[in-house]
Amino acid sequence: MTALVDLEKYAGVTCTRCRCPLEPTKTEITYLGSVFTVDLPACPSCGMVLVPEELAMGKMLDVEKILEDK
Amino acid sequence: MDQSELRRFEELCIQEEPPWCQASCPLHLDGRALCRSVADGRFAEARRTIEKALPLPEILGRICDAPCMIPCLRARRGGGIALGDQKNMVFSGSLIPKNGRSIAVAGGSLSALAAASDGLRKGFSVTILTFEEPLTLLLALSDRLTPEVVQRELNWLAAVGAVFRPFPADRALDDVASEFEALYIGLDAPGAAAAARGVAPLDPVSLETGHPGLFAGGDSPSFIQRAAEGRRGMISVERFLQGASLHSGREKEGPFETRLFTDISDVAPLPPSPAPPEGYDVAGAKEEAARCLQCQCMECVKRCVYLQEYRGYPKRYAREIYNNLAIVQGSRTSNRMINSCSLCGQCERICPNGFSMRDLCLGARREMVRQNRMPPSAHDFALEDMALSNSTGALLRHAPGREASSYLFFPGCHLAGGSPGTIAPLYDFLRDRIDGVGLWLRCCGAPARWAGREDLFDSAMEELKEQWASMGSPTVITACTGCLDVLRRDALEIEAVSLWTVLKDMPLPPHGPVPGEPMALHDPCTAAEMSDVRAAVRDICSSLGIAMEELPETGERTSCCGFGGLQRNANEPLADRVAAARVEENPRDYLTYCAMCRNLFARAGKRTAHLLDFLFPEAGKDSFDRPYAGCSRQRDDRLALVRALQSSHWMEENRPMEPHESIVLVMDDSVLALLEKRRIVHDTVKRLLFEAERTGASMDRGDGTFIASLRPSLVTYWVEYRPLGDGRYEVLGAWSHRMVVTEGGRRP
Ligand code: SF4
Ligand code: SF4
Ligand code: SF4
Ligand SMILES: [Zn+2]
């Protein structure tokens, strides 16, 4: 799931609290015991991660369904 | 589910039983497949069907006396299918590998040659010991056999390895038999019959004689029976060579009675088109084959969109579900199928053997929950909804100013969420007519039952029974047959009656005009086992002057709207098709008495009214004009109803508003629809916005819009929004996921 997000699209987005622009960050996501690594926009200061709509409703949803039937 | 349970289910579905033609054919030719191939003009396929069943297809194809025509189901609607006359097909042989066993048949007519043919197909080296010329014997059987046809058949036997040899006239039968590992005597050849004097078959099942390894048969007036005994004899030969039992498990070798059921009540009689003396031509054979009813059961499948969806029938589904439950590693591909049945019970009421997909699927769901293998996404939205209905959405009160209740009115979540406006006038009407009617808003627990969550269901029932007892154990009046069904099954101590049987015995309230045109009445599936309720509804309709039409499947055979069994949660596209199919059954406006059926038919675009809409119409509103209430609307309406009733009837202070509840959402129709589709309820959006404001955790897009998230329990929600000031927010989009972000950053 590494290159699934068009990170360019989130270049101008900043963390409201820290005022830092989000940066591509290696992020671990898990579901039902399986672990994946994916590059997601995150705040370099507080670590808040953005899961974009296209990922959540696309590949992530597919993987959730596959894992639920395992 | 264990093996024996699977067998019990499998045994009930007789869809795989053979049709009458095949069961009664001594050689079990598949007449249904044959007719389909012939009717479609696929003659090569027809030939393969014949070759598969008949040992001497060239000959038997022409002279079979077709005992199948009598039991053939078509015989009851015009005349049995002339399968015998259709088998006029060409047959070609192929090489069969030998297995080294050497056997013989004695006699040169149908029975011995049929045995030889089967023996060759089993891979034996077969010697055919003849007394008379086979060609002469066979030609004498029927005018339909020409020397060319018979010779082709004999040539085929020789081509696949049969050795023809005259029986040595100077030697005794058992002496000759000792040259071979086993021998079958076809008694329909005069010479063979003479030679076999004294070794007649002792047993009709095995055709064994007094001599081990020596079998005899074929002494029958019916040609096909002679051939069938040849087959039976060769099976005995094979079993004898294997040292296997000559008797066990042979019940279905000869004709037997099929358990198949085929509904022919709507089939018009159609007389046969008899074959001319020279036999059918292609057109004639096709015409006759097209009369075949293609007998099968599929009674339940014909009526259930869900059963059609997976392209099988219950017996096959039982096996798939059994296999699915047994999977330890790998994909459980039937999970969605198991969770998509609406558990409505229509199939078991239609099936001639009462096969219950409801029991099968509910049992499987419970097992999945026990194995911890239930997909979390299948039901948790509905279970959360149920939890809400039983907390902030619940209300339990004696009638205003009263300290006790002899009755409790139980509207159910669907009426509270789908038609909140009818509840107060209906409750007031009941209080007016009956002394001491309390009010009880809560969920009956059906969603937990449907989800296979025995733990949740049991605790919900326990709470329900406690609350009921705390009110002095009054009689419960339910507006929803679904709630009544749950109470009657699982809360036996609670006396529960239907609102409709109660209303039927009362003078009805003054009511508005009813439509002049008839309406089609849809019985909810939960009323299928409640004939008293269905009759009461029909009584009330006629008292109101409502003209009704019955739908094709009505009363105890009625169909589900697609909500039952949480079908809509597990498989929304299917549930939409289920509702669409139901509303297409009649062009009239629909009338029903379940709030969920009404809501879902409205969603499917059908003008549908609830019977209460005519008894307690909302002033100035068209009873048919209520739009579909989505999941957020239903939740909000349920909570608003509790507040409204608390103030109007009990003069109570409302539960204080939670701070997020005062947030105002602004969104256009497309966003509303998106939230509904993604099951993101407005209350969650408000909570999320409130938290984002409180903590400052959000992402700024630099154009006045923000993105924030919240994970209240098992799902993370995201909302894209624009603050408008004064607690108002424009919602621009929303999405969710179940996966958990664990590392790389902290969750907001
Ligand atoms: S009605 Fe359905 S379950 Fe019953 S025998 Fe027929 S196909 Fe099988
Ligand atoms: S109608 Fe067709 S399938 Fe049914 S018994 Fe007759 S030949 Fe067989
Ligand atoms: S949806 Fe109803 S009729 Fe269809 S299989 Fe399930 S219980 Fe049977
Ligand atoms: Zn930050």
Side-chain angles (χ1 to χ4, degrees):
Chain A
M1 267 197 268
T2 321
L4 287 169
V5 179
D6 179 7
L7 296 159
E8 292 285 293
K9 225 174 123 180
Y10 300 91
V13 182
T14 55
C15 173
T16 314
R17 258 185 321 208
C18 315
R19 310 304 325 159
C20 299
L22 303 190
E23 286 173 7
T25 309
K26 275 227 174 319
T27 307
E28 252 183 24
I29 53 178
T30 68
Y31 192 51
L32 301 175
S34 297
V35 185
F36 305 86
T37 311
V38 54
D39 279 338
L40 289 177
C43 170
S45 163
C46 71
M48 186 165 64
V49 176
L50 171 64
V51 179
E53 177 171 11
E54 59 273 25
L55 178 67
M57 303 313 289
K59 192 72 189 176
M60 233 169 162
L61 185 62
D62 296 343
V63 172
E64 285 170 6
K65 283 191 176 143
I66 292 168
L67 292 176
E68 288 195 340
D69 287 340
K70 278 280 176 234
Chain B
M1 178 160 56
D2 58 21
Q3 282 269 356
S4 67
E5 233 173 304
L6 169 66
R7 297 283 167 269
R8 256 201 320 281
F9 275 112
E10 282 186 327
E11 183 66 11
L12 289 176
C13 175
I14 42 72
Q15 165 66 13
E16 285 176 6
E17 283 282 302
W20 285 264
C21 50
Q22 188 178 14
S24 64
C25 170
L27 294 167
H28 301 311
L29 177 84
D30 185 350
R32 180 172 61 190
L34 176 65
C35 286
R36 161 134 1 119
S37 309
V38 172
D40 296 349
R42 283 178 277 120
F43 292 104
E45 191 180 275
R47 215 172 298 141
R48 281 195 295 279
T49 302
I50 297 173
E51 285 170 15
K52 218 169 109 193
L54 302 191
L56 301 170
E58 287 275 1
I59 294 175
L60 289 168
R62 288 178 172 79
I63 63 168
C64 172
D65 32 302
C68 57
M69 278 184 75
I70 298 159
C72 168
L73 203 60
R74 210 4 143 179
R76 293 179 227 169
R77 290 291 185 278
I81 300 291
L83 285 176
D85 288 326
Q86 280 186 48
K87 291 184 286 196
N88 210 341
M89 309 293 169
V90 189
F91 178 76
S92 59
S94 54
L95 287 175
I96 301 154
K98 292 275 168 287
N99 62 14
R101 311 306 297 250
S102 164
I103 60 116
V105 301
S109 197
L110 274 183
S111 199
L113 295 181
S117 166
D118 275 9
L120 290 162
R121 290 179 205 224
K122 290 180 196 294
F124 300 148
S125 297
V126 178
T127 302
I128 300 173
L129 300 166
T130 57
F131 297 86
E132 300 85 358
E133 257 314 307
L135 184 67
T136 321
L137 286 176
L138 292 167
L139 283 176
L141 295 177
S142 161
D143 293 346
R144 291 197 162 196
L145 297 178
T146 61
E148 296 75 54
V149 166
V150 174
Q151 200 53 59
R152 264 208 303 277
E153 197 88 274
L154 295 173
N155 289 349
W156 178 80
L157 289 170
V160 294
V163 176
F164 285 87
R165 218 174 89 184
F167 189 91
D170 51 340
R171 289 169 61 192
L173 185 61
D174 46 354
D175 178 31
V176 177
S178 64
E179 283 179 39
F180 303 96
E181 294 184 69
L183 186 138
Y184 173 77
I185 312 157
L187 300 173
D188 51 340
R197 237 187 297 281
V199 287
L202 298 173
D203 183 287
V205 172
S206 66
L207 301 180
E208 63 197 293
T209 64
H211 305 260
L214 200 58
F215 302 87
D219 183 14
S220 160
S222 157
F223 294 156
I224 196 86
Q225 193 57 39
R226 293 179 197 177
E229 290 192 10
R231 164 158 300 170
R232 188 182 281 278
M234 196 46 58
I235 293 172
S236 289
V237 164
E238 185 179 35
R239 286 177 176 233
F240 176 76
L241 295 184
Q242 291 166 343
S245 158
L246 291 176
H247 295 97
S248 68
R250 301 187 66 167
E251 301 75 21
K252 294 205 166 172
E253 262 176 36
F256 59 89
E257 234 175 271
T258 180
R259 294 168 62 226
L260 188 63
F261 173 82
T262 300
D263 180 20
I264 52 169
S265 53
D266 284 341
V267 177
L270 187 63
S273 44
E278 68 279 11
Y280 281 128
D281 57 9
V282 168
K286 280 173 131 179
E287 193 186 325
E288 177 61 4
R291 279 197 326 120
C292 167
L293 301 170
Q294 292 294 306
C295 297
Q296 58 169 342
C297 179
M298 298 296 261
E299 285 300 297
C300 55
V301 182
K302 282 185 225 164
R303 292 163 180 92
C304 170
V305 175
Y306 158 71
L307 287 173
Q308 289 156 22
E309 177 85 356
Y310 296 91
R311 295 173 193 287
Y313 42 84
K315 183 169 190 161
R316 191 187 289 170
Y317 296 149
R319 286 192 291 259
E320 283 175 20
I321 290 173
Y322 173 81
N323 291 336
N324 193 73
L325 292 174
I327 287 172
V328 180
Q329 270 194 336
S331 257
R332 300 185 154 214
T333 49
S334 302
N335 283 353
R336 191 145 191 245
M337 186 247 263
I338 293 169
N339 284 325
S340 295
C341 169
S342 68
L343 309 180
C344 69
Q346 185 194 43
C347 50
E348 69 201 58
R349 291 185 285 271
I350 284 174
C351 173
N353 298 317
F355 190 107
S356 172
M357 276 303 278
R358 162 163 73 177
D359 290 355
L360 181 64
C361 290
L362 185 56
R365 290 182 202 179
R366 289 177 174 159
E367 198 161 328
M368 285 159 70
V369 170
R370 284 195 295 269
Q371 296 175 334
N372 206 8
R373 280 285 182 57
M374 179 58 87
S377 66
H379 304 126
D380 66 0
F381 184 82
L383 296 174
E384 271 173 29
D385 216 27
M386 170 174 154
L388 188 80
S389 289
N390 287 342
S391 52
T392 39
L395 187 68
L396 176 62
R397 297 286 183 276
H398 294 300
R402 306 293 290 264
E403 300 292 307
S405 297
S406 29
Y407 290 89
L408 265 180
F409 174 45
F410 193 101
C413 327
H414 299 328
L415 195 64
S419 311
T422 27
I423 291 185
L426 171 56
Y427 178 48
D428 293 342
F429 174 80
L430 290 173
R431 278 194 303 138
D432 219 42
R433 300 293 195 284
I434 311 171
D435 196 40
V437 191
L439 181 70
W440 198 7
L441 299 179
R442 72 173 274 132
C443 170
C444 65
R449 160 201 269 282
W450 287 336
R453 290 289 301 270
E454 292 167 284
D455 53 336
L456 275 182
F457 182 71
D458 290 349
S459 57
M461 286 318 276
E462 209 167 296
E463 187 180 74
L464 182 139
K465 288 174 194 170
E466 269 166 26
Q467 293 188 354
W468 168 75
S470 77
M471 297 298 278
S473 309
T475 300
V476 176
I477 303 174
T478 68
C480 169
T481 43
C483 306
L484 187 59
D485 182 59
V486 170
L487 295 182
R488 284 189 176 168
R489 271 176 210 273
D490 294 287
L492 296 176
E493 60 267 56
I494 298 183
E495 160 93 18
V497 296
S498 164
L499 171 70
W500 306 106
T501 49
V502 171
L503 286 180
K504 185 198 68 158
D505 296 329
M506 290 178 175
L508 293 175
H511 52 85
V514 298
E517 291 289 300
M519 290 178 277
L521 182 66
H522 163 81
D523 288 308
C525 60
T526 43
E529 284 157 19
M530 300 175 183
S531 54
D532 55 334
V533 176
R534 301 196 310 266
V537 164
R538 284 159 176 79
D539 273 6
I540 294 170
C541 286
S542 52
S543 314
L544 288 174
I546 292 175
M548 283 171 318
E549 282 177 11
E550 296 286 355
L551 288 167
E553 298 304 337
T554 183
E556 60 176 13
R557 298 166 66 104
T558 189
S559 312
C560 176
C561 64
F563 183 79
L566 301 180
Q567 181 178 70
R568 185 159 284 281
N569 281 258
N571 196 338
E572 182 153 293
L574 173 69
D576 281 339
R577 284 198 293 282
V578 166
R582 184 58 166 171
V583 300
E584 268 167 25
E585 284 177 18
N586 191 306
R588 302 254 183 220
D589 292 344
Y590 277 19
L591 176 66
T592 187
Y593 46 104
C594 168
M596 188 45 88
C597 297
R598 190 220 65 88
N599 199 31
L600 290 174
F601 291 165
R603 178 187 157 100
K606 184 76 173 178
R607 282 168 52 85
T608 306
H610 192 290
L611 186 47
L612 287 173
D613 295 337
F614 295 116
L615 288 166
F616 303 96
E618 282 186 66
K621 284 206 183 151
D622 178 350
S623 300
F624 291 102
D625 222 16
R626 253 171 332 116
Y628 167 66
C631 53
S632 286
R633 252 281 297 285
Q634 290 190 46
R635 282 194 195 197
D636 293 348
D637 283 356
R638 251 179 255 147
L639 299 188
L641 178 71
V642 171
R643 290 175 180 284
L645 289 170
Q646 272 183 306
S647 354
S648 64
H649 284 64
W650 287 274
M651 313 304 158
E652 288 173 13
E653 290 266 341
N654 285 152
R655 157 184 75 84
M657 284 272 196
E658 289 183 58
H660 73 272
E661 289 181 277
S662 58
I663 285 181
V664 176
L665 304 180
V666 177
M667 43 194 153
D668 65 20
D669 286 349
S670 67
V671 173
L672 271 171
L674 186 79
L675 265 61
E676 170 71 19
K677 184 159 180 272
R678 295 183 172 174
R679 295 209 181 94
I680 301 174
V681 296
H682 301 177
D683 187 69
T684 304
V685 176
K686 291 180 187 175
R687 219 178 267 275
L688 179 155
L689 292 171
F690 179 80
E691 285 301 310
E693 259 338 65
R694 194 177 61 80
T695 60
S698 65
M699 289 143 190
D700 187 344
R701 310 195 65 164
D703 59 354
T705 70
F706 296 82
I707 300 173
S709 71
L710 182 73
R711 190 172 177 95
S713 61
L714 297 174
V715 178
T716 303
Y717 296 95
W718 294 85
V719 174
E720 196 182 335
Y721 60 97
R722 184 194 310 277
L724 300 174
D726 291 336
R728 296 170 73 242
Y729 293 83
E730 182 182 1
V731 180
L732 303 164
W735 59 96
S736 69
H737 55 83
R738 289 172 177 273
M739 291 190 139
V740 188
V741 176
T742 51
E743 242 178 60
R746 267 153 295 155
R747 272 196 286 118

